[in-house]
Each structure stands twice: as C-alpha cells, then as structure tokens.
Amino acid sequence: QQNIRNPVPLSSPPSSSTSSPSSSTSLIFGKKGELIIFIEIILVYSILRGYVPIFHHLMQFVFGPILFLTGIIITILGCRELNQFQSFTPLTKPIPMTKGGDIVTSNIYSYIRHPVYAGNIYSLIGLSIITESSSRFVLSLVYYLLVDQKSHAEEENMESVYGVDVYQLYKNRVKGKFLPSIDRLFPKKKEMDQINANELDGNNTTVITGTLDGDSDNNNNDDDKNSNGFDMKGSRGFLFP
C-alpha cells in the first residue's frame, strides 16, 4: 500500500514591496549601524564629562547671559517705575496715598505685577547657569518660593490699603505675577484698536484713581466717576496702556 501525503505548500518569497525589519533598522541606525555607534560615543562622552557638549555651551554662554541681563533690565525698570510714583518700599505693606504712595501699573507693571521680584529671579537663575552652580540654582528656587509668599502678602495689603475693587481690577487686567500672560504679550485686536485710539487722542494711558477718605472735589461731576466711585480723570493711579 502506497502512502499518499498531502504536499506541503511552499511559502512564496517575500515581495519587494514589504520592508524587512533589517531594512527599517538600517534607515534609523545606518546601513552598518554607524549612526547608533556615533550616538553611543556622544552619550558615553557626555556622561564622563557630566554635560552634553553643544547644549551645555548654549546654556552657559547664550541662554544664561541673556536671562541674567534680562533680569537686571526688568529689575531696573520696576524700581524706576516705583520711584517715579514714590511707592518703593521693601516692606509688605504699601505706602498709602496720604503719604504719596500709589498703585503703579504703567510700563513694565502693565505686563507683570511684580517685575522687581521677577527680574531678581531671572538674574539669579541666569547666574546659576553661567557659573554652573547647582547650589546657586537651588537657592534661586528658595528665593522664588520666598518672594512668591511675600508678593501674596503684599497683594493682600494692597487690597486693604487701596481697596479690593481697585486692585482686583488691576489683577484681572494683568494676570501674570512673575511672567507676562499671553494676552498681555499679544493683545487682541479690540484692545489694540483701543490703544491706537488713545494714541491718536494724545493719551496712551487710561487712568483710574481711587478716592481718599475725607477728600472730596466739588468741581468733579458725577459723570466723571464710574460705578465704583473712582475718578476717571486723575493723574495718578491705574495706568493701563
């Protein structure tokens, strides 16, 4: 008796259209794996030296100095604006309007609420990058946490001294404490049209001044005041670009 076996079908050779795993790997690492050897050398070198060569130099000689100088400029602009309105004080309680103090919201203060602290943070972090000091970087983070709490206490005192409605209006307009918000860097078309209209009128700021207790001006009309009782024709106070 003859055994008849079913012939096993031979698999057809792979078509040229389907890529083999070796071909896809060669596209990533090179035909002979030269690319992965290059990456391997860079990683081992970076681990032994403790830094990535190109990225390290960009951080130390480009990003660090730019951040450091930017922080110094912002701090100077903030201090100059405070001195202009006689509102500079290192204490958490602001100078009241009866003693010449005021809420400063013009120029750099129209982008961030605490530019002096922000500039200091930028400068300290930039110096940490330039000097490659991990201790300076950690202390800069500690400084950030400190001034974050201090600025929070300052804003509470600003509300108590100048009025919650007055300062809340400024906070709603300038949302960034240490970093400018997107809407302040790139204002909407409606806000830009308002700015252009003010410039055409010869006035590039909108001024809101809070009324002091016990002070009154009989020459002011009710039409010159808004619903919150703040004079819209003052020369000090809220300065919005």
Side-chain angles (χ1 to χ4, degrees):
Q1 186 178 358
Q2 185 178 3
N3 294 329
I4 301 176
R5 298 179 181 179
N6 294 328
V8 179
L10 297 177
S11 59
S12 59
S15 60
S16 58
S17 60
T18 59
S19 59
S20 62
S22 59
S23 62
S24 61
T25 305
S26 62
L27 293 176
I28 300 175
F29 301 121
K31 293 182 178 179
K32 298 181 179 180
E34 60 272 10
L35 181 58
I36 193 171
I37 294 176
F38 175 76
I39 297 174
E40 183 181 359
I41 294 174
I42 293 296
L43 286 176
V44 172
Y45 176 82
S46 302
I47 293 171
L48 293 177
R49 295 297 301 269
Y51 59 84
V52 181
I54 299 177
F55 178 76
H56 168 77
H57 290 93
L58 285 176
M59 291 290 292
Q60 185 178 11
F61 299 110
V62 178
F63 181 74
I66 291 176
L67 190 62
F68 178 75
L69 294 176
T70 301
I72 291 179
I73 294 173
I74 292 177
T75 300
I76 293 175
L77 293 177
C79 291
R80 187 179 67 175
E81 203 69 18
L82 288 175
N83 288 329
Q84 180 181 356
F85 288 91
Q86 301 178 1
S87 299
F88 184 82
T89 175
L91 304 176
T92 57
K93 188 173 183 179
I95 301 175
M97 296 180 67
T98 54
K99 295 183 179 180
D102 211 338
I103 301 178
V104 181
T105 61
S106 57
N107 296 326
I108 189 65
Y109 280 87
S110 65
Y111 295 95
I112 48 179
R113 301 198 302 270
H114 299 275
V116 177
Y117 296 150
N120 290 341
I121 294 171
Y122 301 161
S123 298
L124 293 175
I125 295 178
L127 182 62
S128 303
I129 296 174
I130 295 172
T131 59
E132 300 179 297
S133 175
S134 57
S135 300
R136 283 196 176 99
F137 184 76
V138 172
L139 292 175
S140 299
L141 297 180
V142 174
Y143 176 80
Y144 163 76
L145 295 175
L146 176 66
V147 296
D148 182 58
Q149 294 299 317
K150 183 181 179 183
S151 61
H152 181 71
E154 288 179 354
E155 293 187 346
E156 289 183 346
N157 290 330
M158 294 283 283
E159 293 177 354
S160 63
V161 172
Y162 298 112
V164 177
D165 294 337
V166 177
Y167 195 76
Q168 190 63 40
L169 178 64
Y170 170 60
K171 290 179 66 176
N172 293 337
R173 178 87 175 194
V174 182
K175 300 179 178 63
K177 182 186 286 189
F178 302 127
L179 286 173
S181 58
I182 300 299
D183 59 338
R184 296 306 297 163
L185 290 176
F186 306 100
K188 298 179 181 179
K189 186 178 182 301
K190 182 178 180 180
E191 295 181 357
M192 291 300 299
D193 293 341
Q194 182 64 36
I195 294 173
N196 295 331
N198 291 334
E199 290 178 351
L200 292 176
D201 293 338
N203 179 22
N204 60 355
T205 59
T206 302
V207 183
I208 305 175
T209 301
T211 58
L212 294 175
D213 295 337
D215 293 342
S216 60
D217 189 355
N218 295 327
N219 295 328
N220 290 336
N221 296 326
D222 293 338
D223 295 338
D224 296 336
K225 295 185 178 181
N226 61 3
S227 60
N228 293 327
F230 298 110
D231 189 5
M232 302 297 290
K233 290 187 176 181
S235 59
R236 294 165 61 84
F238 278 148
L239 300 176
F240 288 141

